[in-house]
Amino acid sequence: GQLVWLNAIYGVDLSTYDWNPAGYSTDLQAMARQIMDESLAAAVGIAGPREIDRINIYWATLGAMARAVRRLRLRPELVLVDARTIPGIDEDQEAHVGGDGTFYQIACASLLAKTYRDRLMHRLDQRYPGYGFSHNLGYPTPGHRKALRRLGPCWIHRRHYRGVAEWMQGDLDSLWSPEGQSEERAPGP
């Protein structure tokens, strides 16, 4: 499915609040509302499945990150990033490996992105019933894999991911199986 990146600018120090965004131990939606209430600006960047298939997950992630920074209605003084720097933005930035466990700003943005993506998956579950997106949130659980084998992929599935690629190859293979060919038709493409 899609990859979601979210940036936020905070007007107050959220580090003193009594919650643990990295541990996800309480009601995530309530925590996300609290973070948004204290944010001066927030913006989301999304990389869709076709972009991920076309340029790979790494470059699609960086693109989503840059789009999120550019969409902020206020310019940040400093962009704190988990693990890597964002090419193509003018703002000063710092990359911190494990940043979501060290910087509350990164942890908050990570939690906002997660809850945004979860809500998106619930909406996709209504549009594409049968895949269980509300339960698996797009992760390749056994139930999701079974649904993929039964229904085939929908537009949200990344075509280069193993389960989807295997389904697509199996579908192509069945077109050329002996059972699927008439006697007059020679095997092969």
Side-chain angles (χ1 to χ4, degrees), residues 129-131 143-152 167:
Y131 294 98
H144 188 176
R145 288 183 178 139
K146 185 177 179 181
L148 185 60
R149 285 190 299 273
R150 187 179 75 251
L151 301 171
W167 180 90

Side-chain angles (χ1 to χ4, degrees), residues 20-23 82 96-104 106-108 110:
N20 179 12
D82 194 6
H96 298 276
V97 174
D100 60 343
T102 306
F103 294 90
Y104 72 89
I106 297 174
C108 289
S110 175

Side-chain angles (χ1 to χ4, degrees), residues 13-125:
D13 182 355
L14 298 174
S15 64
T16 60
Y17 285 17
D18 185 24
W19 49 269
N20 179 12
Y24 301 132
S25 59
T26 60
D27 178 17
L28 300 183
Q29 295 299 331
M31 288 173 27
R33 282 189 298 278
Q34 181 180 5
I35 293 167
M36 288 302 294
D37 287 346
E38 300 295 340
S39 299
L40 298 176
V44 68
I46 297 176
R50 300 299 78 85
E51 179 182 7
I52 295 167
D53 282 341
R54 187 171 36 84
I55 62 175
N56 80 36
I57 189 80
Y58 177 79
W59 291 109
T61 299
L62 294 177
M65 293 163 80
R67 285 190 292 276
V69 171
R70 286 188 204 108
R71 289 178 179 150
L72 286 167
R73 65 177 176 79
L74 301 173
R75 299 283 32 109
E77 293 175 20
L78 177 67
V79 178
L80 295 174
V81 187
D82 194 6
R84 57 186 63 127
T85 57
I86 307 169
I89 65 168
D90 296 328
E91 290 77 10
D92 291 335
Q93 59 183 303
E94 292 178 3
H96 298 276
V97 174
D100 60 343
T102 306
F103 294 90
Y104 72 89
Q105 298 95 332
I106 297 174
C108 289
S110 175
L111 184 128
L112 290 174
K114 178 187 178 1
T115 55
Y116 181 94
R117 184 176 187 279
D118 290 354
R119 287 192 315 272
L120 183 59
M121 295 308 295
H122 288 288
R123 282 184 291 217
L124 287 168
D125 190 48

Side-chain angles (χ1 to χ4, degrees), residues 156-171:
I156 198 66
H157 289 98
R158 300 174 192 169
R159 301 300 194 246
H160 286 90
Y161 276 45
R162 185 175 54 214
V164 177
E166 287 172 355
W167 180 90
M168 292 173 73
Q169 184 61 49
D171 196 44

